[in-house]
Amino acid sequence: MFLSPMDGIGFSAGNLAPPPAISSSYLANLYASVSSNTKTFSGASIGDADSKRKIVVTIIGENQTGRIVSSVTVAGVSCSLANPSPTSRLHSGVTTAEIWSTDSFITSGTTGDIVITWDGTQTRYYVGTYRALNLGSPHDAFTSSASTPTGSINIPAGGSVFAHCHSSAGTNTYTWTGPTERFDANPISTITHSGASDDYATAQSGLTVTASPSGTMNAPALTCVSFSKA
């Protein structure tokens, strides 16, 4: 049966519910020391299954100059570099920092292999992982190699932000301004990395994001990306 607008069924665009906000959660921080261009983190947690689940992977590689990540897969699903303008890919001395996210939803399973491939031999891998429902496109980004890494970022209403920092000297802990700290790790004696993330119901204009170290950093690196809701 044909229904016209006069039948009182709210089909107009003005009556459509807005898309749901992103709901993200921290999963894990991972570390590997291997001399290879590819590392598989087998059986990594990808969180509870959901028809709208994507995975955000923050990646720092250290000990090789100028390397970039060439591909990432999570549970067999390909990922893309989150690289709006300005770029989210940072080179700082022997450190490279990037953020990737799955191209499509991972609807089933609670674990999966995370495979990271670089364009050449990499020695150390530092990774943060997040489960995100209703994740849309990258919205804004910045990088920083300052001694106290910092920058500002715009986040749309219902969007999220993810950040990852690293130092190749000292046993720093980090105090985050802006998003909430999710991990602070010291996987080997002289190297630390830390991650932060948050979801925002209202739009944030020029939100300051800072990773303040407890001591001196060497080859500091911070990458930060915001996403819109799907």
Side-chain angles (χ1 to χ4, degrees):
M1 178 177 67
F2 175 77
L3 296 176
S4 75
M6 299 302 293
D7 292 308
I9 307 299
F11 288 129
S12 68
N15 290 331
L16 294 177
I22 298 172
S23 175
S24 66
S25 56
Y26 165 66
L27 294 172
N29 73 87
L30 308 170
Y31 167 73
S33 179
V34 293
S35 183
S36 174
N37 71 320
T38 299
K39 169 61 183 175
T40 299
F41 294 92
S42 300
S45 172
I46 56 173
D48 293 339
D50 192 280
S51 62
K52 299 295 185 181
R53 176 182 57 181
K54 289 187 175 181
I55 303 298
V56 176
V57 185
T58 67
I59 303 167
I60 291 177
E62 188 254 347
N63 235 21
Q64 299 291 330
T65 301
R67 294 282 184 254
I68 62 172
V69 176
S70 57
S71 68
V72 180
T73 61
V74 179
V77 175
S78 62
C79 299
S80 291
L81 175 68
N83 60 342
S85 182
T87 181
S88 62
R89 175 180 275 159
L90 170 69
H91 297 295
S92 176
V94 296
T95 302
T96 301
E98 307 184 7
I99 294 178
W100 292 63
S101 63
T102 52
D103 294 329
S104 57
F105 299 122
I106 304 177
T107 59
S108 62
T110 58
T111 61
D113 292 353
I114 298 175
V115 183
I116 300 171
T117 302
W118 295 77
D119 65 348
T121 299
Q122 185 55 271
T123 306
R124 294 177 182 144
Y125 297 67
Y126 307 84
V127 177
T129 57
Y130 302 82
R131 173 185 183 266
L133 305 183
N134 310 310
L135 188 79
S137 301
H139 180 77
D140 195 13
F142 77 85
T143 62
S144 175
S145 57
S147 56
T148 296
T150 189
S152 64
I153 195 163
N154 300 312
I155 307 165
S160 297
V161 69
F162 303 89
H164 195 171
C165 73
H166 169 276
S167 172
S168 62
T171 54
N172 292 306
T173 57
Y174 297 87
T175 300
W176 285 86
T177 301
T180 301
E181 180 182 297
R182 303 302 178 184
F183 67 90
D184 213 8
N186 183 202
I188 58 178
S189 61
T190 61
I191 298 176
T192 57
H193 68 131
S194 186
S197 70
D198 258 328
D199 305 328
Y200 293 87
T202 59
Q204 305 293 309
S205 179
L207 178 74
T208 297
V209 178
T210 304
S212 300
S214 59
T216 302
M217 298 180 76
N218 183 54
L222 168 64
T223 181
C224 183
V225 175
S226 67
F227 288 81
S228 61
K229 59 186 179 180

